[in-house]
């Protein structure tokens, strides 16, 4: 098939509309990305889109209209929230999902009983829709899985010979696909971030939910709320890694991994600091610019024959969330976290909390794993369900909360029991710790502390760049435990006897803080250590 390149003249627009009316597929410009359009009420024409893109048939399409009047026949009802969003943001880069009317072909719905509708603001898109006289189904005009096209030449790269025509409308203004919000759900649920930000949606309809899949990989066995979310997507041929951390840490990481084929996908400001070939996708603090450039930058990586790409992570704020959402899929969810992790451990009563507190006062994020151990067994949590399954439903109180004493009786009855308990809780604590470390990195912290009495027992030393152990003489610890937990001497000694000896903590490479005097002295020691050590500086 010959693919015509049409100009955005009245004749070009009329020709595109004619081809669409006849059931052909034509790529058209929109303000988000180029769309691969076909008559959205003609199942055969829509099937042609899936064939041209090699798109999985369960991934539904968006219907594009050019007049709000054209909305009503496509959906079973238009709820209040939908009217408000349309009034605020149509025409524009917002797609809403509503119950589908009977006239919507199964191909468009991807077999679901809902339909996605959008009213684009691009004048050429509007003209083509009006001239064609039907709603146009139009996913991005790329081969399934590759970066969406934001200029006609990029459409040609993927679609030449596969479709009837490409209508050239220049560069797309937004650069990432529309925001998709599911209004069949209360509260409204964001399935795909785009040019209309979560804040903009909330300003109109109040609180919304952001689907987990927007920023995280779908857990095994979970079903996608939006089928498109389950696929690896937008990817160049190279292996992309998303590098989280400060600009300094990013440059340090990339330069340390310099090798043939290694390329940076970075912000303009990073260029002078990098020793490898680089493609930029805008300035660090300009998310709209990043959105406009990201897809083309991903395609440039292929042109440069990049093999391994280290991408600088965008901010998740505003339109940045949409950029992050595309990049994390281009990276197939491979994340490198450059935040430095300092493990803080030691036996009970030695003064670990005092040290954590002194560092917290310096502005360092401290993750308290004791707190996490309580958090992961909240009623309804997967961890608690598992505990009830493995030990006995008797570890649950009537209100669904954990009966700690009962769990301890059952788990600590044997070494195997204790092991089974740890096998359930430790991985959950580590996973949550990793999440919090990622959040700390996202908010620009170069270093964070993980306060973990069971650091070594839980295998957490592997995520730490450096470890600090706090120890104290037995008599001092005994006094502290008695005062803290109002225990008598004997009970305090029993507790200490159940713990590891100091030698367990004072291993090679571990910095040891010895608490020999009062709390104030330990605080000072902690601050001094932090300020003099190379591992604690940005
Ligand atoms: P694209 O057309 O490539 O921009 O992709 C359209 C996106 O909208 C896909 O990720 C779909 O999964 C999503 N989508 C379209 N229709 C629906 C629907 N009825 N329910 C949920 N998601 C939808
Ligand atoms: Mg797409």
């Amino acid at each position: 098939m010959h693919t015509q390149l049409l100009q955005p003249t009245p004749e070009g627009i009329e020709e595109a509309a004619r081809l669409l009316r006849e059931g052909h597929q034509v790529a058209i410009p929109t303000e988000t990305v180029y769309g691969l359009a076909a008559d959205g009420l003609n199942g055969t024409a829509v099937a042609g889109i899936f064939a041209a893109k090699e798109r999985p048939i369960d991934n539904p399409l968006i219907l594009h209209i050019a007049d709000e009047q054209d909305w009503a026949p496509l959906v079973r009802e238009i709820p209040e929230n939908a009217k408000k969003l349309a009034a605020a943001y149509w025409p524009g880069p917002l797609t809403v999902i509503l119950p589908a009317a009977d006239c919507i072909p199964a191909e468009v719905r991807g077999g679901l009983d809902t339909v996605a509708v959008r009213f684009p603001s691009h004048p050429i898109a509007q003209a083509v829709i009006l001239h064609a006289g039907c709603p146009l189904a139009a996913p991005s005009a790329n081969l399934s899985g590759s970066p969406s096209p934001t200029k006609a030449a990029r459409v040609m790269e993927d679609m030449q010979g596969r479709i009837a025509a490409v209508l050239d409308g220049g560069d797309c203004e937004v650069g990432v696909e529309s925001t998709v919000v599911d209004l069949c759900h209360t509260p409204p649920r964001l399935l795909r971030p785009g040019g209309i930000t979560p804040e903009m949606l909330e300003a109109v309809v109040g609180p919304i939910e952001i689907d987990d899949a927007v920023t995280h990989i779908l857990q095994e066995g979970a079903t996608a709320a939006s089928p498109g979310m389950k696929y690896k997507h937008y990817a160049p041929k190279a292996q992309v890694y998303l590098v989280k951390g400060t600009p300094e840490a990013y440059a340090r990481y990339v330069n340390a991994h310099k090798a043939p084929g290694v390329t940076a996908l970075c912000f303009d400001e990073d260029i002078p600091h990098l020793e490898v070939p680089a493609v930029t996708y805008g300035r660090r603090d300009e998310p709209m610019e990043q959105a406009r450039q990201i897809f083309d930058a991903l395609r440039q990586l292929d042109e440069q024959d990049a093999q391994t790409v280290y991408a600088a992570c965008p901010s998740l704020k505003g339109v940045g969330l949409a950029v992050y959402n595309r990049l994390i899929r281009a990276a197939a969810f491979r994340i490198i976290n450059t935040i430095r992790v300092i493990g803080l451990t030691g036996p009970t009563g030695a003064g670990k909390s005092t040290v954590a507190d002194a560092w917290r006062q310096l502005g360092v994020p401290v993750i308290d794993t004791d707190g996490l151990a309580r958090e992961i067994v909240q009623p309804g949590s997967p961890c608690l369900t598992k505990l009830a399954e493995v030990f006995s439903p008797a570890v649950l109180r009537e209100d669904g909360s954990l009966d700690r004493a009962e769990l301890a009786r059952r788990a600590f009855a044997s070494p195997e029991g204790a092991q089974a308990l740890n096998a359930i809780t430790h991985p959950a604590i580590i996973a949550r710790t990793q999440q919090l470390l990622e959040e700390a990195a996202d908010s620009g912290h170069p270093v964070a502390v993980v306060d973990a009495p069971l650091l070594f027992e839980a295998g957490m030393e592997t995520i730490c760049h450096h470890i600090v152990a706090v120890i104290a003489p037995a008599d001092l610890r005994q006094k502290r435990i008695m005062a803290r937990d109002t225990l008598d001497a004997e009970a305090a000694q029993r507790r200490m006897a159940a713990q590891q000896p100091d030698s367990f903590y004072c291993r090679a490479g571990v910095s040891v803080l010895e608490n020999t005097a009062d709390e104030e002295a330990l605080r000072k020691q902690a601050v001094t250590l932090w300020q003099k050590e190379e591992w604690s500086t940005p």
Side-chain angles (χ1 to χ4, degrees):
M1 185 189 313
H2 170 70
T3 302
Q4 293 182 68
L5 182 63
L6 302 172
Q7 293 310 307
T9 56
E11 296 74 40
I13 289 169
E14 185 41 55
E15 175 63 4
R18 185 189 65 79
L19 288 165
L20 288 164
R21 276 194 305 271
E22 287 180 3
H24 294 286
Q25 294 78 38
V26 178
I28 60 168
T30 83
E31 72 276 26
T32 58
V33 301
Y34 273 76
L36 179 44
D39 177 350
L41 299 180
N42 174 346
T44 316
V46 172
I49 296 178
F50 285 88
K53 279 182 61 89
E54 300 177 18
R55 180 174 171 112
I57 53 157
D58 66 345
N59 194 359
L61 308 180
I62 296 168
L63 287 182
H64 294 71
I65 56 173
D67 184 328
E68 262 184 68
Q69 303 296 313
D70 295 341
W71 194 8
L74 307 179
V75 298
R76 260 179 293 158
E77 52 163 335
I78 302 184
E80 210 44 47
N81 273 343
K83 285 182 196 150
K84 284 197 225 162
L85 285 172
Y89 301 120
W90 275 4
L94 175 67
T95 296
V96 297
I97 292 174
L98 290 172
D102 293 337
C103 63
I104 310 292
E107 289 87 349
V108 169
R109 294 179 280 109
L112 304 172
D113 55 9
T114 53
V115 66
V117 186
R118 176 166 107 83
F119 181 169
S121 65
H122 198 294
I124 297 174
Q126 290 181 358
V128 174
I129 297 166
L130 292 173
H131 277 74
C134 54
L136 297 182
S140 50
N142 51 283
L143 284 174
S144 189
S146 66
S148 302
T150 52
K151 44 184 68 171
R154 295 301 192 193
V155 179
M156 276 295 186
E157 283 176 8
D158 280 19
M159 289 298 151
Q160 185 132 48
R162 291 173 173 259
I163 60 175
V166 177
L167 179 56
D168 190 348
D171 290 359
C172 299
E173 178 131 352
V174 179
V176 291
E177 303 86 339
S178 59
T179 301
V180 177
V181 60
D182 185 354
L183 295 178
C184 301
H185 197 271
T186 316
R189 178 184 291 216
L190 179 71
L191 300 185
R192 179 173 75 185
I196 304 294
T197 64
E199 297 77 17
M200 291 164 78
L201 295 173
E202 291 194 326
V204 175
V205 297
I208 60 162
E209 255 175 45
I210 299 186
D211 197 283
D212 247 8
V214 166
T215 47
H216 291 93
I217 191 163
L218 264 188
Q219 291 308 309
E220 217 174 304
T223 46
S226 171
M229 300 193 298
K230 70 187 176 205
Y231 302 110
K232 172 178 162 195
H233 217 138
Y234 318 118
K237 293 187 189 78
Q239 290 244 320
V240 180
Y241 296 85
L242 191 59
V243 181
K244 294 195 167 193
T246 60
E248 295 79 15
Y250 172 68
R252 206 162 35 221
Y253 185 89
V254 173
N255 292 338
H257 292 80
K258 163 165 80 173
V262 167
T263 305
L265 175 60
C266 62
F267 301 118
D268 298 347
E269 297 90 332
D270 295 322
I271 290 286
H273 309 290
L274 296 175
E275 297 161 13
V276 304
V279 171
T280 64
Y281 71 103
R283 285 167 292 175
R284 183 177 295 279
D285 293 323
E286 298 292 338
M288 309 257 261
E289 192 174 290
Q290 294 163 20
R292 216 155 32 236
Q293 297 184 21
I294 186 63
F295 283 133
D296 211 65
L298 287 167
R299 285 186 178 242
Q300 285 173 42
L301 290 167
D302 278 343
E303 289 167 349
Q304 301 200 358
D305 250 343
Q307 305 297 312
T308 302
V309 173
Y310 295 117
C313 188
S315 151
L316 274 67
K317 292 200 197 90
V319 177
L321 184 65
V323 180
Y324 179 83
N325 169 268
R326 306 312 189 273
L327 251 180
I328 191 81
R329 283 170 169 73
F333 295 93
R334 286 181 291 257
I335 297 180
I336 292 166
N337 210 332
T338 61
I339 192 167
R340 239 165 302 161
V341 182
I342 311 303
L344 177 63
T345 191
T348 184
K352 206 171 48 61
S353 312
T354 306
V355 174
D357 196 56
W359 289 348
R360 208 179 267 120
Q361 305 265 310
L362 296 175
V364 183
V366 177
I367 297 166
D368 165 27
T369 57
D370 276 346
L372 297 187
R374 287 187 292 275
E375 186 190 308
I376 58 159
V377 291
Q378 289 302 307
S381 62
C383 221
L384 189 54
T385 311
K386 192 87 211 209
L387 288 175
E389 219 174 271
V390 169
F391 292 103
S392 153
V395 304
L396 297 183
R397 293 210 193 83
E398 237 163 63
D399 62 359
S401 66
L402 175 63
D403 184 339
R404 284 172 186 284
E406 185 60 35
L407 177 65
R409 253 194 304 282
R410 290 170 184 267
F412 296 125
S414 68
E416 293 76 29
Q419 229 170 41
L421 174 61
N422 290 342
I424 295 169
T425 55
H426 287 173
I429 293 171
I430 293 176
R432 184 75 185 115
T433 301
Q434 298 274 29
Q435 248 175 29
L436 293 172
L437 285 170
E438 236 178 76
E439 282 172 24
D442 286 344
S443 34
H445 289 284
V447 55
V449 170
V450 175
D451 174 354
L454 299 180
L455 186 101
F456 293 112
E457 291 90 331
M460 268 206 220
E461 76 270 29
T462 55
I463 65 166
C464 297
H465 294 73
H466 193 81
I467 294 168
V468 176
V470 185
I471 57 165
D475 56 333
L476 184 62
R477 280 178 62 204
Q478 185 182 325
K479 250 193 287 175
R480 288 171 59 97
I481 295 171
M482 287 169 67
R484 188 187 65 191
D485 300 340
T486 47
L487 295 177
D488 60 23
E490 204 183 317
Q493 273 166 11
R494 253 204 317 274
R495 185 160 312 173
M496 287 164 62
Q499 297 241 310
Q500 304 284 359
D502 284 356
S503 59
F504 175 81
Y505 298 100
C506 305
R507 312 176 178 204
V510 171
S511 303
V512 177
L513 269 177
E514 195 168 1
N515 180 7
T516 48
D518 57 301
E519 192 133 333
E520 218 22 64
L522 181 61
R523 253 175 207 286
K524 282 211 186 101
Q525 255 175 285
V527 170
T528 310
L529 178 75
W530 189 270
Q531 288 170 343
K532 85 167 207 283
E533 289 297 340
E534 175 263 328
W535 41 255
S536 62
T537 55

